[in-house]
Amino acid sequence: EVAKKIEPIRKQKKEQKEKQKAVAQKEANKPKATLRIGDRVRLEDSKSVGTLDKIEKGKAIVNYGMFTTSVSIDQLELVQAMKK
């Protein structure tokens, strides 16, 4: 009796997991934008947006106003390209 109740829940969770994998795969296949000094960027898992100040040896210096941080270029995503 309990197994009958659990089975639909398991199917539903399995479908959700497959959907999440598909979304993650689409994100991974997206081409990364080339970043340039002056672009507005943010860390992939963050909401804070900063300005790209310097790029050297795979690291980027991002200015968030009151503070700056050094991060890997792979962790950054473009928010707004620098105006020409």
Side-chain angles (χ1 to χ4, degrees):
E1 187 178 313
V2 174
K4 288 180 183 179
K5 290 180 181 178
I6 293 175
E7 193 62 34
I9 295 171
R10 284 186 178 162
K11 281 185 178 181
Q12 186 179 19
K13 286 194 176 195
K14 190 174 184 178
E15 289 172 4
Q16 284 178 342
K17 216 176 215 184
E18 288 173 0
K19 286 180 185 177
Q20 286 176 346
K21 280 184 181 181
V23 169
Q25 191 173 13
K26 284 182 183 178
E27 288 290 322
N29 290 340
K30 258 193 212 176
K32 287 269 190 177
T34 54
L35 301 174
R36 292 178 288 171
I37 294 174
D39 287 350
R40 305 277 291 161
V41 295
R42 70 173 178 196
L43 288 170
E44 289 177 343
D45 298 332
S46 174
K47 294 181 181 177
S48 301
V49 177
T51 306
L52 188 60
D53 281 350
K54 194 189 280 187
I55 300 173
E56 53 187 36
K57 296 183 183 177
K59 293 279 187 182
I61 307 292
V62 181
N63 183 350
Y64 288 103
M66 293 292 284
F67 67 96
T68 60
T69 184
S70 176
V71 296
S72 172
I73 293 177
D74 297 337
Q75 294 178 327
L76 294 175
E77 60 184 27
L78 181 65
V79 173
Q80 181 182 13
M82 182 182 73
K83 296 175 183 168
K84 292 182 181 182

